[in-house]
Amino acid sequence: MFRKLPKIVSSICLLACSYSYADVQQPIRIGVLAFTEPEKVEQRWRPTIEKLELDLQRSFELVALPPSELEHDVSLGKFDFLITNALTAVSYKKDYGTSSILTLIPLNKSNPTEAVGSALITRQGTQISNFNDLRVLNAVSSDPNAFGGFQIYAGEMAQNGLNPFKDFNSLKFAGFPQQKLLQQVLDGTADIAILPTCVLENAIAAGNIPKDSLQVVLTQPNSGFKCQSSSQLYPYYSLSKLGKTDHQLATKVIRSLLSIEPASNAAITGRYQAWSATVNDSEVFKLLKQLQQWPFVTNWTSIFKSALPVGIAITLILLLGFIHHLRVKRLVVLRTRDLQAEIAQHKQTEQALLEQTKQFYRAQRVLLTGEMASGIAHELNQPLAGIRYLTQGCIYRLSDNQTELKEAMTKALQQVDRAQSTIKRFRYFCQQPSVMTLCSLNQILDETLSLMSAEFQRMNLTPVLTTEVIQLTADASLLQQVFVNIIRNALDAMENCTEPSLAITLKMKHNQVHINFTDSGSGLSEAALERLFFPFETSKEHGLGLGMIICKRIIEEHHGEIKAMNNIQPQVMTENTQFAGLTISIVLPLKEQTHE
């Protein structure tokens, strides 16, 4: 006995801990659909909830709400389980992803699939043989959302092409209790009442209504069903779980509810026989579809809720469009006023643009002249220096008696000095300073390629451009002249090439900008490569030989360096080495240039 004591103590501790843990857990919330006072609905289901709390050792919270409030809380996921009629359960399954797990079996009914319907109740002797006879009647029902009364028969009418809101002479909803609707039919306030099945039979059995005073019309045969029905029958109440609810918890709830006996307090107070497994609800789906064929209030509410964000968005768009219209109208007035001033300045701007274009071409001619002057000076300075040295040598060798000859030779030296001075002044005059500004090399390259796009199309060539975003201080027009000259030379070299290609790379390395132009042309011989940047050196039939020397002068003016090299094919490295084009490499310092 003493050996078993530690085990007993451990079990008691474990049980106490489990009760303590259950106490701190959040209560399980069950929402119940209520058409009458919520207090009465809670009283009906309270013993059922107490049965669940006892079996699961968990706290449950029962919340009875009318249809609109219940749907709002379901949409926010505030419940774990729901007790609703079959139509609401199917609607929530469609809209919020709930799952029906049990169906309630009502009293005195063995088949949960055929448990509830609608009854049209009139005074005894009223002749109603078809649906068209309903058009002249004044109808009354408890609530437009009541499944067992109004909704089921609204589906029957919709199936026969009628709209209860339009095809009755009048339709009123009197609320609960349902007993007062029977009284309104008796006293002539209403011609017909739409109520759940068995309401009339129960009222007669309780002695509240005389036996032969009222009748159910347009009845339909339902074998095994003890009450008269004017519609087909549908399942009774349904227990549903929300998608977030744990399946293990749902299994425990199902096991507890299935164990309820008809004689238990939960079944008696809840006015049901028992719970059963969920039944086929395809007929309820059909009813829901029928109800959506005419302006049913619940569907309009759902449509309004779903359309509300779209309506707000459309309203905002229209409002913003109207504000934009006013703004555009105001801008049109202001822009018209500005346009009148711009038209007056248009001719001046056009004239200024034309003058700038002329200055650009004039600068090009001056630059070309300067380069020609540099070349001429370079070529003439040496022979002039030779003439000067020879003339001076002759003067030294003349005797003092040869004065006339010495004087002539002295004048020749003066003419040589004058010629050299003239050449020097001409070079100085042609050397115009560049205009340095902060510019984007990427933009200059893009504009250059756009200028030469026609040439690229003619040769079926697409340049491969690899660049980085680089800005530096330079003369954009001069750099563009360099790029144009290099690309044009590359295109000329690839004129007879079967697969022409041109690659242009722009990258920054060690605070320097490296620009490479690589073509697949014929390349240059070693001799031509050495004299590429000499004036008047050209391989073109009508070339002047000044293009590359001009490029060199512009790059050097930017404190940079330009050089050329052949692209050697690696597979052929012999005396007859073949070249696969030429690469022109330009290096420019990235820092801002200063000029003396």
Side-chain angles (χ1 to χ4, degrees):
M1 177 178 180
F2 290 102
R3 292 179 180 177
K4 295 182 179 179
L5 184 61
K7 294 183 179 179
I8 296 174
V9 173
S10 299
S11 300
I12 294 174
C13 292
L14 182 60
L15 183 61
C17 290
S18 65
Y19 279 119
S20 176
Y21 177 72
D23 290 340
V24 300
Q25 285 182 306
Q26 293 293 330
I28 300 169
R29 304 185 82 240
I30 299 181
V32 181
L33 184 63
F35 288 102
T36 182
E37 295 89 342
E39 295 79 9
K40 293 184 178 180
V41 175
E42 291 181 3
Q43 290 175 4
R44 175 185 178 183
W45 295 104
R46 173 50 53 191
T48 303
I49 299 302
E50 291 175 352
K51 174 72 165 56
L52 290 172
E53 290 179 333
L54 180 64
D55 291 346
L56 273 68
Q57 292 298 309
R58 291 283 301 273
S59 175
F60 281 75
E61 180 182 356
L62 182 67
V63 182
L65 295 173
S68 59
E69 296 182 17
L70 182 68
E71 182 175 4
H72 177 265
D73 287 1
V74 170
S75 67
L76 298 178
K78 290 186 177 181
F79 298 113
D80 299 293
F81 297 94
L82 297 171
I83 299 177
T84 63
N85 59 49
L87 185 66
T88 303
V90 169
S91 177
Y92 287 176
K93 181 188 300 184
K94 176 176 67 72
D95 296 333
Y96 306 110
T98 62
S99 301
S100 298
I101 55 178
L102 288 178
T103 299
L104 195 66
I105 304 176
L107 293 173
N108 302 322
K109 297 175 181 66
S110 59
N111 186 359
T113 306
E114 299 178 350
V116 62
S118 290
L120 294 181
I121 302 173
T122 65
R123 290 181 296 275
Q124 192 67 247
T126 304
Q127 297 297 322
I128 300 175
S129 58
N130 55 61
F131 283 92
N132 288 326
D133 294 339
L134 302 176
R135 297 179 183 271
V136 296
L137 301 180
N138 298 319
V140 64
S141 188
S142 57
D143 189 276
N145 294 311
F147 172 60
F150 181 74
Q151 287 186 323
I152 290 179
Y153 207 76
E156 293 285 335
M157 294 184 68
Q159 189 174 4
N160 288 273
L162 297 179
N163 183 344
F165 290 99
K166 296 180 180 180
D167 293 323
F168 281 116
N169 186 50
S170 68
L171 175 63
K172 295 181 181 179
F173 296 98
F176 296 87
Q178 296 170 338
Q179 178 71 32
K180 67 181 181 180
L181 276 72
L182 297 176
Q183 192 62 44
Q184 289 183 14
V185 176
L186 281 175
D187 61 23
T189 305
D191 298 322
I192 192 167
I194 307 174
L195 290 170
T197 51
C198 296
V199 170
L200 177 60
E201 286 84 353
N202 292 335
I204 293 174
N208 297 325
I209 298 295
K211 182 177 181 181
D212 296 327
S213 59
L214 300 176
Q215 64 177 351
V216 178
V217 297
L218 298 181
T219 58
Q220 295 187 16
N222 293 295
S223 60
F225 195 69
K226 298 180 180 181
C227 301
Q228 289 184 310
S229 174
S230 302
S231 69
Q232 71 176 88
L233 300 178
Y234 294 89
Y236 200 40
Y237 278 92
S238 172
L239 177 70
S240 304
K241 64 176 285 293
L242 273 73
K244 67 182 183 65
T245 306
D246 181 61
H247 70 281
Q248 295 180 348
L249 173 62
T251 302
K252 295 178 181 178
V253 169
I254 292 172
R255 187 181 296 115
S256 174
L257 293 179
L258 290 177
S259 67
I260 295 177
E261 299 292 338
S264 66
N265 184 36
I268 295 173
T269 306
R271 301 194 298 276
Y272 61 85
Q273 184 180 158
W275 291 90
S276 74
T278 184
V279 297
N280 183 9
D281 54 6
S282 59
E283 293 299 323
V284 183
F285 268 103
K286 293 179 181 178
L287 175 61
L288 182 64
K289 184 177 180 181
Q290 291 168 356
L291 294 177
Q292 291 175 343
Q293 294 176 357
W294 43 267
F296 193 63
V297 61
T298 304
N299 295 331
W300 278 114
T301 303
S302 177
I303 292 172
F304 175 77
K305 289 181 179 179
S306 61
L308 183 60
V310 179
I312 294 175
I314 293 175
T315 303
L316 289 176
I317 291 173
L318 292 176
L319 180 61
L320 292 175
F322 179 70
I323 295 174
H324 179 68
H325 169 72
L326 295 179
R327 178 177 176 273
V328 170
K329 186 176 180 180
R330 175 62 178 167
L331 288 176
V332 167
V333 175
L334 296 176
R335 294 294 172 85
T336 303
R337 189 183 307 165
D338 295 339
L339 184 60
Q340 294 175 350
E342 290 179 2
I343 292 175
Q345 297 177 357
H346 177 70
K347 292 184 178 180
Q348 296 180 359
T349 304
E350 185 178 2
Q351 187 64 31
L353 181 61
L354 181 61
E355 186 63 27
Q356 288 180 356
T357 304
K358 290 181 179 179
Q359 290 179 2
F360 174 76
Y361 288 120
R362 188 180 301 114
Q364 283 190 327
R365 290 195 296 270
V366 171
L367 181 62
L368 180 60
T369 305
E371 296 302 331
M372 292 179 64
S374 298
I376 294 172
H378 178 75
E379 297 297 331
L380 294 181
N381 274 334
Q382 289 185 359
L384 287 174
I387 293 172
R388 180 181 180 83
Y389 295 148
L390 292 174
T391 305
Q392 285 179 344
C394 292
I395 292 175
Y396 294 153
R397 286 174 174 77
L398 292 176
S399 62
D400 295 336
N401 296 330
Q402 297 175 309
T403 56
E404 294 181 359
L405 186 57
K406 184 180 293 186
E407 182 178 354
M409 299 296 287
T410 301
K411 290 181 178 181
L413 286 176
Q414 292 175 355
Q415 293 301 319
V416 170
D417 292 338
R418 182 181 176 184
Q420 289 181 333
S421 177
T422 300
I423 292 173
K424 183 177 181 181
R425 287 197 307 271
F426 183 61
R427 284 187 64 186
Y428 179 77
F429 175 77
C430 293
Q431 290 177 346
Q432 299 294 328
S434 300
V435 180
M436 297 293 183
T437 58
L438 185 64
C439 57
S440 171
L441 279 180
N442 311 79
Q443 183 177 355
I444 296 174
L445 274 174
D446 291 339
E447 292 176 355
T448 302
L449 295 177
S450 297
L451 287 174
M452 307 195 69
S453 59
E455 291 293 323
F456 296 144
Q457 293 178 3
R458 180 181 63 83
M459 297 188 63
N460 195 20
L461 169 65
T462 301
V464 178
L465 186 63
T466 305
T467 64
E468 299 178 8
V469 179
I470 299 176
Q471 291 186 333
L472 81 165
T473 302
D475 190 320
S477 62
L478 292 181
L479 287 183
Q480 189 178 58
Q481 183 179 353
V482 172
F483 297 159
V484 168
N485 191 74
I486 293 174
I487 295 175
R488 182 174 287 112
N489 289 342
L491 295 180
D492 291 341
M494 295 186 293
E495 190 68 36
N496 298 322
C497 185
T498 56
E499 295 182 0
S501 64
L502 177 63
I504 304 173
T505 60
L506 171 62
K507 62 181 179 179
M508 184 174 60
K509 184 178 181 182
H510 303 306
N511 207 31
Q512 290 180 328
V513 181
H514 293 257
I515 312 170
N516 293 328
F517 299 84
T518 302
D519 62 64
S520 60
S522 58
L524 294 174
S525 63
E526 293 297 330
L529 193 61
E530 291 178 359
R531 301 185 61 82
L532 179 61
F533 298 104
F534 280 56
F536 307 111
E537 294 286 341
T538 180
S539 59
K540 300 179 182 179
E541 183 178 355
H542 301 288
L544 297 176
L546 295 175
M548 294 307 296
I549 189 63
I550 292 175
C551 294
K552 186 173 186 296
R553 177 178 178 270
I554 292 173
I555 297 302
E556 289 177 348
E557 189 172 353
H558 287 75
H559 299 273
E561 180 183 1
I562 182 172
K563 59 183 179 179
M565 65 190 73
N566 283 312
N567 304 324
I568 302 176
Q569 295 181 349
Q571 68 273 20
V572 185
M573 297 294 293
T574 63
E575 295 181 356
N576 297 323
T577 299
Q578 300 295 320
F579 302 120
L582 191 71
T583 296
I584 301 294
S585 177
I586 299 174
V587 180
L588 295 173
L590 189 60
K591 63 182 180 179
E592 184 176 352
Q593 309 296 338
T594 58
H595 302 279
E596 298 180 357

